[in-house]
Structures are given as C-alpha cells and as structure tokens.
Amino acid sequence: MQKNSHTQPGLLMPSPESVQIRSHLLSRKNAPRAPLSLAEQRVAFELFVENYIGYPLPLPEGTYVEPVDVDGVPAAWIRPPDADAERALLYLHGGNYMLGSLKSHRDLVARLAAATGMRSLLLDYHLAPEHVFPAALDDALTAYRWLLANGTKPEHLVLAGDSAGGGLILALLQVVRDKSMPMPAGAALFSPWTDLVGTVESRTTRETADPTFTGEAINALARFYAGTQDAHCPLISPINADMHGFPPLRIDVGHDEVFLDDSLQVADHAKAAHVPIELTVWEGMWHVFQLFSSILPEGQQSLEKMGTFLRRQTDLRHD
C-alpha cells in the first residue's frame, strides 16, 4: 500500500449500526427481486437510505438548499450555517452514471458541506443510457467553468464525488489540465469507479465480502455509459489516466467492495505522477458507506476527515 495511505479501522470494533446496515444490504443483495424499469430504479435509488431508516432524512440543522441553473444544467447550492462565502465545493454524485439526483445525494453533500464549512454545488448531470459519454463530462465542465466565471477563484475551489461521480471528477481534471484551465485546489473521492473495462482483480476477489454489488453486475453496467466508445479511454476509465499536474487528492474506499482496486491503482498512479495523495481503506466498510452518515459512525468519521482535507487545500480555518 502507498506510503501516504493507511487502513482505517474506524471504531475498535464495528459499530452496531454498521453490523445492522451490512445485514440489511446483504439481504437486499441476495433476495430474489422482479426486474425494475429504469424509472423505478431511479426512484428506488433516491429512497435507498430513507427506506432503510424509515423516514425522510432531516438535513443538518441550518442547512440551506437553493436550486440553481448552471448554464442549462440543473443544480443546487447546499450551504451549511455560516458557510465561507469565497470557497466552494463542486460535487458530482454517483449511481453508475444511470441513477442519482439532487435528492439522492442531498443529505451526503449537506454533511460534507458542514464538515468543510463551504457552500457546495450539487450537479444534476445528464444520465445514461439516454445521454452517453461524454454528456456527463460536458455537464461537469460546464459547471466548473460556471463557478470560475461567477467569481470562484481556483485556489478556493475543490471537487468531490462518489462512485461514478468520483470517476467523473478524475475525467474532469484531465480535461481542465489539457485545456490549460486553472486547476482546483484539491479533490476528494469516495469509492471512485475508475475501471469501466472491469479488469481489476477486486471485481472477483472482493465479491463475497461486498454486501452490495457483484463484479459481474458492475461490469455489465459500464456499456450504458460508454455507448459506442472504447471503455479503455482515460476519460471513461480514469484508471488509465495520465495524472501529471493534478491537484492533491484524497480517496476513501471500503475494504469490502468490488471497487477496491479502482481506488488502489489510481492512488498508485497518482503517486507515480508526483500528485499528493491520501488514501484511506476503511476496514469492514462497503461501497460509498458515507451515504449512511446520518446514522453510521464510520461514515461520520470519513466525512470529517474529508472535510479536514478539503479545508486544508484552501487554507480555510475551521475549528
């Protein structure tokens, strides 16, 4: 493992909440279910955490949500109380490029915003299969340009994303660099999906431990985003990217997920490109466990560490 990475045990023992959530996820993974239409899958994903908890998630006290049009792309500003007015976080949600919305990730982004003390822009980018590559990437670039054009300085701008959104952040960084645009101050990735070809070993070696996904299912989904393009393309599979010139990165990933090697190999490539990289592998955790942060102590710990990293990149004091 990388010199500047470590395995994070979280609590000394798995929290009772993590044991209960894992049991719930495993039962969902193994239960026979009738196929859902894409529209039904999107609604189910929006209610994924709420259905487990049994009630709508209350946002952190004082959170302000403001819908905004980002040059034609729907988005929402999510502001914690006393958010720093100069600094901003651009967040790209996960959902295998086919699912996810302003609703599905509002709670997660609100908690990350609180941990950073920054206003956060959650982007509702176009989804596959209706909009294949590079539609989502084009939307991400539109949002990045919009933030700069509206007065956010690059040294005050950070990026974050989970799963497909994490991979999309890495694709966006390639485009920003190659267009000679100013780079953001840093980026935080939660379990990024970076290998859409599906050759990483963890697709099979972590399949039994993963309470949520099978490697076969994940690999089958990649074609819906890639469309007719070669999935080896670094903008589709950022595990193949040249990362020279990237800003400091932090990656948090669960030890028990088929996406584990997507993070480990990206961290290796970042180190080889002399990009400052922090990698934390969370023992006993699954894919984007931070979605359960409203009740999961390990998720709360991860968000606090991510918040500390992002504040540090913009030199924002936050005690």
Side-chain angles (χ1 to χ4, degrees), residues 145-227:
R145 284 175 163 153
W146 183 85
L147 285 164
L148 295 178
N150 282 273
T152 304
K153 297 179 180 179
E155 61 267 27
H156 292 163
L157 176 58
V158 288
L159 314 179
D162 67 279
S163 193
L168 195 52
I169 291 291
L170 293 172
L172 176 60
L173 289 173
Q174 295 175 67
V175 174
V176 168
R177 178 199 59 203
D178 293 347
K179 289 183 177 293
S180 299
M181 298 172 64
M183 275 287 185
L189 312 174
F190 302 88
S191 302
W193 187 19
T194 66
D195 175 22
L196 274 71
V197 178
T199 58
V200 291
E201 291 185 0
S202 59
R203 289 290 189 278
T204 55
T205 59
R206 307 310 300 160
E207 191 165 41
T208 300
D210 192 319
T212 309
F213 295 108
T214 66
E216 181 181 9
I218 292 304
N219 290 345
L221 292 172
R223 63 183 175 86
F224 292 105
Y225 175 62

Side-chain angles (χ1 to χ4, degrees), residues 177-290:
R177 178 199 59 203
D178 293 347
K179 289 183 177 293
S180 299
M181 298 172 64
M183 275 287 185
L189 312 174
F190 302 88
S191 302
W193 187 19
T194 66
D195 175 22
L196 274 71
V197 178
T199 58
V200 291
E201 291 185 0
S202 59
R203 289 290 189 278
T204 55
T205 59
R206 307 310 300 160
E207 191 165 41
T208 300
D210 192 319
T212 309
F213 295 108
T214 66
E216 181 181 9
I218 292 304
N219 290 345
L221 292 172
R223 63 183 175 86
F224 292 105
Y225 175 62
T228 59
Q229 302 298 311
D230 183 356
H232 291 86
C233 169
L235 296 178
I236 298 175
S237 291
I239 199 168
N240 300 320
D242 172 9
M243 300 178 67
H244 285 90
F246 278 21
L249 303 175
R250 178 180 170 93
I251 302 175
D252 277 27
V253 63
H255 185 262
D256 295 349
E257 57 173 295
V258 295
F259 295 90
L260 175 60
D261 287 348
D262 294 63
S263 291
L264 298 184
Q265 291 191 29
V266 162
D268 280 337
H269 297 164
K271 183 181 177 183
H274 305 291
V275 173
I277 173 73
E278 296 180 12
L279 169 68
T280 299
V281 180
W282 290 77
E283 284 286 354
M285 291 295 105
W286 53 87
H287 188 61
V288 197
F289 60 93
Q290 298 87 354

Side-chain angles (χ1 to χ4, degrees), residues 9 44 74 104 113 119 151 167 245 264 267 283 294:
S104 67
R119 59 199 174 112
L264 298 184
E283 284 286 354
S294 61

Side-chain angles (χ1 to χ4, degrees), residues 128-141:
E130 300 96 325
H131 305 278
V132 297
F133 172 85
L137 180 55
D138 289 344
D139 288 348
L141 182 60

Side-chain angles (χ1 to χ4, degrees), residues 10 51 62 77 81 84 87 105 107 126 143 147 151 166 198 244 253 258 266 302:
N51 282 343
W77 277 117
D84 182 88
R87 290 158 174 81
H105 281 67
D107 179 76
H126 286 87
L147 285 164
H244 285 90
V253 63
V258 295
V266 162
S302 174

